[in-house]
Amino acid sequence: MNIDTLKISPLTPADVPEIQDLLYRSWLATYPNKGAGITEDDINDWFSGKNSKEGIARTIKSVENKHENFNALVAKIDNKAVGFCAMGKHLDYNRLAMLYILPGYFGQGIGRSMWAAIQYYADSSKPTILEVVLYNVRAIKFYESLGFVDTGKRITDQKNRMKSGAIPPEMVMRREPTMVL
């Protein structure tokens, strides 16, 4: 693994199967939590449809028909996907929808590089928000290092209900725009 060969580029339909696997492995390493009632079985169930042949085909179609205000990037080292991020522009804010790094590649600057690259697609005059699972301390510290702060808002979104019935508790973080004059 040579971080010097890191390349960040727009997500293509051909990247989808590898990105789906990256997301699955990242979730499996991050989200099971006894206190929150989220199990490994929940994660396996959550991704069973997404990683099926039909699920991959649906995701490929959405990549092919992406909305002009939504952009996704993939980070690769030696042609292997090691990171993925997505940003959406809304009327009053940008939303960092996802930033995931493949387990085993944490702490190598990939997330920071992806954040810098996705800024190209953001509206620099507007704040950026994100949601992060409350017990994902590593991610929270990373976002804080980028200038995000906890807004105090907590979410338990029903659409994230797991097979067990548990819902990952999330917090909303916000980063104010940094205007360069």
Side-chain angles (χ1 to χ4, degrees), residues 6-127:
L6 179 68
K7 289 187 176 33
I8 299 174
S9 56
L11 178 69
T12 68
D15 294 321
V16 169
E18 194 173 13
I19 293 304
Q20 285 298 108
D21 183 62
L22 179 152
L23 292 172
Y24 167 70
R25 294 196 298 157
S26 183
W27 273 54
L28 205 52
T30 304
Y31 292 114
N33 181 281
K34 281 187 182 183
I38 298 170
T39 66
E40 199 171 292
D41 188 46
D42 283 328
I43 306 306
N44 288 329
D45 179 70
W46 185 263
F47 279 91
S48 65
K50 293 173 181 21
N51 288 344
S52 69
K53 187 176 180 180
E54 297 80 18
I56 296 286
R58 276 190 307 274
T59 304
I60 287 171
K61 190 169 197 71
S62 71
V63 170
E64 291 171 340
N65 299 316
K66 85 169 186 70
H67 190 276
E68 66 186 50
N69 289 330
F70 185 82
N71 289 284
L73 300 175
V74 60
K76 294 182 180 183
I77 295 178
D78 298 328
N79 290 319
K80 176 184 178 181
V82 296
F84 174 72
C85 68
M87 172 82 75
K89 287 195 288 189
H90 298 265
L91 188 59
D92 297 326
Y93 60 91
N94 303 297
R95 180 172 177 266
L96 183 62
M98 291 183 235
L99 198 161
Y100 288 98
I101 306 300
L102 188 65
Y105 289 85
F106 299 141
Q108 297 182 35
I110 297 166
R112 193 166 297 279
S113 295
M114 295 194 76
W115 169 250
I118 201 75
Q119 292 306 295
Y120 176 79
Y121 300 102
D123 182 335
S124 64
S125 70
K126 296 177 182 169

Side-chain angles (χ1 to χ4, degrees), residues 81-165:
V82 296
F84 174 72
C85 68
M87 172 82 75
K89 287 195 288 189
H90 298 265
L91 188 59
D92 297 326
Y93 60 91
N94 303 297
R95 180 172 177 266
L96 183 62
M98 291 183 235
L99 198 161
Y100 288 98
I101 306 300
L102 188 65
Y105 289 85
F106 299 141
Q108 297 182 35
I110 297 166
R112 193 166 297 279
S113 295
M114 295 194 76
W115 169 250
I118 201 75
Q119 292 306 295
Y120 176 79
Y121 300 102
D123 182 335
S124 64
S125 70
K126 296 177 182 169
T128 300
I129 64 162
L130 61 84
E131 296 88 32
V132 61
V133 172
L134 281 169
Y135 54 82
N136 191 349
V137 176
R138 181 183 63 249
I140 293 167
K141 288 182 184 297
F142 169 72
Y143 293 130
E144 288 173 341
S145 78
L146 297 176
F148 283 88
V149 296
D150 181 356
T151 65
K153 184 174 181 181
R154 301 297 183 257
I155 301 171
T156 50
D157 193 333
Q158 293 296 321
K159 75 175 193 238
N160 295 331
R161 184 172 298 282
M162 298 284 164
K163 176 182 172 182
S164 66

